[in-house]
Amino acid sequence: MKFIGRFGALAAAGSAVALLLTGCTGGSGGTGGGGSDSGHFDGVPDSLAERLNSYAVHTSENSKLDAHFFGITGASSLSEAMEKDILKAFKSGGAFHGRRALDPALTDPEERWEAPKFIEQPGQGPTASATGQDGAGSTSQASGGATASSTSGAGKGKEQKVTAENSVVAAGGHFLVSRLSTTVGGQATQRVFVTDLEKNETQPGSALFSDAQKYGADQVGAMTVDDKALPVVDGSAVDKGDLSDLGTQVRQAMGEDLQLPSDDKSYEPDYSCGLLPCVAVTYDDGPGTPQQTKELKGYLKDANIRATFFQIGTNVKQYPKANKELLDMGNEVENHSWNHPQLSRLSGSKLAQQLDRTDKALEAAGVPKSTMLRPPYGATSAAVDKQVDKRIIQWDVDTLDWKTRSTPKTVKTGTSMSQPGSVILMHSIHEPTIKAAPQLYKNLKAKGLYPVTSGYLFKGLPFEAHGEYFCRGYRSAMCSNPEHPMVEKGKAKAKPAPED
Ligand code: NI
């Protein structure tokens, strides 16, 4: 097993994280002196590695990015802070190519690091690879660099090699101290973050100190933690009196058992589809029979994936229970009209009926009012777009599953046509399509794609009611991105695709 992460086994954690320090024999008394001074730090607990999800962004052709970073399910504040700074470094290295956002690219899953590699040994400090390839020294010689260049508009500058990696400096109780190390063109920057896993709050490392001025951003970025759980800055432990209230709490927590957040949403990547190459898995025309729903739910669960189900109102009425079950699992359950007409051929009042009846049936089945519409046959018009007060989700990968009714063909088309930002169209009422699920999911992951729901794919882009969304990114004029957050309202042509 070369890689470890949400798609891999998280087994090999233990031995690599052996405790290095002696002289800190545990117990709440510690060795630090006074009665209330209970902090001690033996190294990051082994249990943490099992919960780190590993990600990599590695490109060599069009841009030179090499990023390795972890996330923890349930600690979204940490991944949001990391993602912001990783993208900032990418941008200042020219990887946005003058656009407002990154165009996520495929990375071989084998590039993902094994989880223990993200864990620093006590006193280790920033890793060698993160301190610059050009002998940039042990601390940040250019800490202002990323911040300064990131504000320079489009960032059309010359493309430079960018590396980024985060690591765990210390952890205990419900606190985690981590470091993000980036280099842009050989110039290194480190930042430390402190995360309260219970409150899901992440702050800059300077929050550990009562006097933020006393220790500069460079010093905090390179800090380590000693066996008395005191931050070590510039080679010496800081005075206990220099810790803020938070710093004192974090210090005391270091001797405690690690309390990680619940991992019940591990099917979502920790990072957004503005950084990772995602693909939306969508199923139309359901719910199918209870047996079909059960089977598909099992495949989704086994693969730890969630999908978007665009349901037909008449089927919702026939199989109400399936909708709530799918929703409770974490899937999206949305509107595909009442009985599958070409919406572009309907009068305004007939169109309204098609959507309202389905919304009401879904609500009666325990699903909140839908916010997305999949128009049958993809058939829209300027009038439809104008009237529909939902995000209209089209697709760019048509598996033709309804036509071939072939498991191998559905797998093959879905795999080969899917690109970063794609939306895959399938139907949850055909047995061969359901049987295709396990292999298709496996193939998508092996390709380096992250299968997600439609809502997750487009998260971070403006949610435009009346707008049509086909894919995310820059590879096609049909795809949505910050410059083009949706396909122009009312401009999409009604071009009915044959569909059952
Ligand atoms: Ni349909």
Side-chain angles (χ1 to χ4, degrees):
M1 180 71 55
K2 274 265 188 74
F3 68 92
I4 283 202
R6 69 180 48 258
F7 304 132
L10 287 165
S15 58
V17 202
L19 306 183
L20 292 188
L21 290 188
T22 54
C24 190
T25 51
S28 60
T31 53
S36 64
D37 182 13
S38 60
H40 77 110
F41 179 58
D42 286 342
V44 175
D46 292 3
S47 59
L48 180 60
E50 293 163 32
R51 283 290 305 277
L52 298 185
N53 304 313
S54 177
Y55 302 90
V57 174
H58 184 96
T59 62
S60 50
E61 288 167 20
N62 301 318
S63 52
K64 297 160 185 161
L65 307 176
D66 194 6
H68 300 268
F69 43 97
F70 72 84
I72 298 171
T73 304
S76 57
S77 68
L78 179 132
S79 30
E80 280 161 20
M82 295 296 155
E83 175 164 323
K84 198 165 156 251
D85 277 8
I86 292 168
L87 287 173
K88 201 185 272 185
F90 284 0
K91 186 180 182 184
S92 70
F96 283 18
H97 304 289
R99 299 173 185 132
R100 280 168 58 194
L102 181 74
D103 199 14
L106 289 176
T107 295
D108 187 337
E110 299 250 319
E111 295 277 349
R112 293 172 203 158
W113 283 355
E114 296 195 7
K117 203 169 170 185
F118 291 107
I119 295 175
E120 295 181 14
Q121 299 305 330
Q124 179 183 321
T127 58
S129 64
T131 50
Q133 287 77 49
D134 308 325
S138 61
T139 56
S140 47
Q141 68 168 31
S143 60
T147 335
S149 51
S150 69
T151 56
S152 62
K156 279 186 181 168
K158 185 172 162 284
E159 207 175 309
Q160 293 173 302
K161 164 110 177 160
V162 181
T163 69
E165 58 191 66
N166 67 348
S167 50
V168 182
V169 176
H174 55 91
F175 289 105
L176 182 120
V177 181
S178 60
R179 184 194 324 278
L180 179 69
S181 305
T182 56
T183 66
V184 180
Q187 296 203 309
T189 305
Q190 285 92 32
R191 282 196 185 78
V192 161
F193 296 87
V194 55
T195 302
D196 182 329
L197 297 165
E198 197 173 76
K199 293 183 185 161
N200 194 9
E201 276 177 12
T202 294
Q203 302 183 62
S206 56
L208 293 166
F209 306 103
S210 53
D211 181 0
Q213 306 302 318
K214 189 164 175 180
Y215 305 104
D218 293 3
Q219 293 168 304
V220 174
M223 68 164 253
T224 59
V225 173
D226 74 6
D227 62 343
K228 296 183 183 63
L230 278 169
V232 175
V233 171
D234 281 346
S236 36
V238 305
D239 193 275
K240 277 182 295 202
D242 282 350
L243 295 177
S244 63
D245 288 349
L246 177 68
T248 304
Q249 279 180 55
V250 171
R251 186 184 173 219
Q252 284 171 354
M254 287 305 116
E256 297 168 9
D257 288 342
L258 193 55
Q259 293 160 33
L260 290 162
S262 139
D263 65 350
D264 59 1
K265 282 182 102 181
S266 63
Y267 48 83
E268 277 183 358
D270 297 296
Y271 293 85
S272 83
C273 304
L275 177 59
L276 300 176
C278 301
V279 61
V281 178
T282 73
Y283 289 100
D284 286 9
D285 293 3
T289 65
Q291 183 51 40
Q292 286 173 324
T293 300
K294 189 182 169 197
E295 193 180 351
L296 191 48
K297 270 171 52 191
Y299 293 143
L300 287 162
K301 201 172 176 198
D302 289 348
N304 203 26
I305 283 178
R306 299 300 183 264
T308 307
F309 289 82
F310 292 102
Q311 314 286 50
I312 293 177
T314 51
N315 289 349
V316 172
K317 201 178 157 196
Q318 188 175 0
Y319 302 118
K321 268 174 65 184
N323 303 283
K324 183 75 163 43
E325 283 172 20
L326 288 164
L327 182 80
D328 288 347
M329 227 184 108
N331 299 292
E332 291 174 338
V333 180
E334 300 287 341
N335 196 317
H336 189 44
S337 84
W338 179 254
N339 59 4
H340 215 271
Q342 269 191 44
L343 301 181
S344 52
R345 292 188 172 176
L346 300 183
S347 67
S349 59
K350 285 272 178 2
L351 170 59
Q353 264 181 27
Q354 283 285 329
L355 305 192
D356 293 347
R357 279 186 87 180
T358 306
D359 277 351
K360 288 203 171 75
L362 285 169
E363 285 173 68
V367 175
K369 186 175 161 63
S370 78
T371 59
M372 290 184 258
L373 169 71
R374 163 76 41 85
Y377 317 100
T380 55
S381 65
V384 170
D385 284 1
K386 193 172 172 208
Q387 188 178 333
V388 173
D389 194 24
K390 301 176 191 292
R391 190 183 254 190
I392 297 168
I393 305 291
Q394 302 275 19
W395 61 86
D396 69 319
V397 175
D398 190 347
T399 58
L400 297 177
D401 63 325
W402 59 272
K403 191 176 178 183
T404 67
R405 307 284 175 104
S406 155
T407 295
K409 283 181 182 164
T410 300
V411 170
K412 195 178 169 200
T413 310
T415 303
S416 64
M417 286 181 67
S418 290
Q419 299 176 63
S422 282
V423 177
I424 306 176
L425 169 66
M426 291 178 285
H427 299 82
S428 58
I429 52 169
H430 302 312
E431 201 55 38
T433 301
I434 294 167
K435 290 273 185 281
Q439 191 60 46
L440 176 61
Y441 301 161
K442 200 176 159 191
N443 291 359
L444 294 172
K445 290 174 182 179
K447 211 170 158 174
L449 291 164
Y450 292 85
V452 296
T453 60
S454 306
Y456 199 87
L457 176 67
F458 293 110
K459 199 170 143 190
L461 293 179
F463 186 109
E464 297 273 1
H466 321 289
E468 297 193 30
Y469 293 71
F470 292 79
C471 42
R472 178 175 183 147
Y474 289 94
R475 64 186 154 77
S476 154
M478 297 299 270
C479 295
S480 299
N481 54 60
E483 285 85 353
H484 184 208
M486 43 166 280
V487 171
E488 235 175 309
K489 292 173 192 175
K491 281 283 178 67
K493 292 286 163 287
K495 195 183 71 174
E499 187 190 353
D500 63 335

